[in-house]
Structure formats: C-alpha cells, structure tokens
Amino acid sequence: MITAILLAAGQSKRIPKENKLLKNFRGKVLINHILNQLIKSKVKRIIIVLGHEHLLVKKAIIKNKKIQFILNKNYKSGIASSIKTGIKKINKFSKGFLIVQSDMPYIKKTHINKIYNSIDKKDNPVHLLKYKNKIGNPIGFNSSIMSKFKKIKDDVGAKFMVKRLKKDAAIINVKSEKIFKDFDKLTDF
C-alpha cells in the first residue's frame, strides 16, 4: 500500500482574512483540485492533516472512501508537525508514502502515479519530480525512512529530508515547471 499525506493545516498568513484552501479557483475550492487528482490516482489512502480552520476545511472537502482525516493540534509550530502527524497514521505495512501540499492545483494524477510507480518498483528512499534543474512537490518516500521524520521540526519539511537523501533519490522527469506552482498570494488566483 502507498499512502498520500495531504497537508492542509497551514494558516494562510500571506492571504489576509481568508483561508487560501477555501478560496475559489476555476470553479472549485483550491484544496479540491489536488484532492480530485489524488482520488483518481493509484494511491490507496489519503490522510488529510487538518489544523487552521479545520472544521471549515473539512466541510469544503469532497467526500471519498479513500480519505481519512487527522487533526494536527500543533499546526502553528510549522509544517514539520503536520508531516509527523500524518506519518503516525500510515499503516506499518505500507511500502511508501507521498507528502502532498494542498495549494498546488496543477499537479495531475499522472504525476502522482509516476511517484507511486517509482515507490512501488524501486527501493530508493526518496522519489522526486524534476523539471530541468528544479525539484518540486509532491515528494515520495520509502517507508523504511519514516523514523527519520521524527527529528524534523518547525518549518523544516520534506525538502530537508530530500537534501539529506538526494544522492540516493529516484528522479522522475516531468515536462512542465508549472506543476510546482503553489498558491501563496491573491495574485496566484
């Protein structure tokens, strides 16, 4: 089994008075763009880590049997706490997992499936999407390194783990840099 951890606990500090995940983009709330792709992908289970405005976000999310919610009560301490909260819910028999950010609407199921297939077929600790010299999210990990995530803290996320394990990574080339675009400002919408 390969699981996706969808990070949806952030405070949207760069967009005043609004939760960016609930903001409309092309006819639906932002978080549902990536969630639709995860549901259509080969991923068997989606763990959504909620935090800031968790009740509003949960209410806006599309329903599906693949989805399981978990609340990160320490979401204000940074992304590392959300990653660790999600990892706690991964089945011990899981072959690997993806860490996915919920503010990246251009990621498609094909990108997710490429990471899924890489985790499924290769023993590399990290599985990365790459366009030219740029590496971006989502990022796949082999379950054998789950314990290493216990040491991360604050706003240190999966990219810290990538830097440590980059030489052993499986690289998956993609055709567009656009998929790495995350929405952080009003002008992104």
Side-chain angles (χ1 to χ4, degrees), residues 62-104:
I62 55 177
K63 309 301 179 239
N64 188 276
K65 63 182 178 178
K66 286 186 177 184
I67 296 172
Q68 178 184 356
F69 294 99
I70 186 166
L71 179 61
N72 174 12
K73 294 177 183 174
N74 299 316
Y75 67 90
K76 289 181 181 178
S77 68
I79 195 169
S81 68
S82 289
I83 292 171
K84 290 194 274 190
T85 299
I87 285 175
K88 288 178 189 174
K89 288 292 183 185
I90 292 178
N91 183 307
K92 66 180 178 177
F93 300 110
S94 185
K95 183 162 180 137
F97 59 99
L98 289 82
I99 296 178
V100 185
Q101 296 188 17
S102 53
D103 62 352
M104 300 179 74

Side-chain angles (χ1 to χ4, degrees), residues 7 9-14 72 74-84 99 101 137 149 151-161 163:
L7 304 175
Q11 299 177 69
S12 300
K13 289 181 177 177
R14 289 176 246 169
N72 174 12
N74 299 316
Y75 67 90
K76 289 181 181 178
S77 68
I79 195 169
S81 68
S82 289
I83 292 171
K84 290 194 274 190
I99 296 178
Q101 296 188 17
N137 290 304
F149 279 92
K151 299 173 185 166
I152 65 173
K153 55 187 170 188
D154 304 323
D155 272 334
V156 178
K159 286 192 178 182
F160 170 76
M161 207 56 71
K163 286 179 186 174

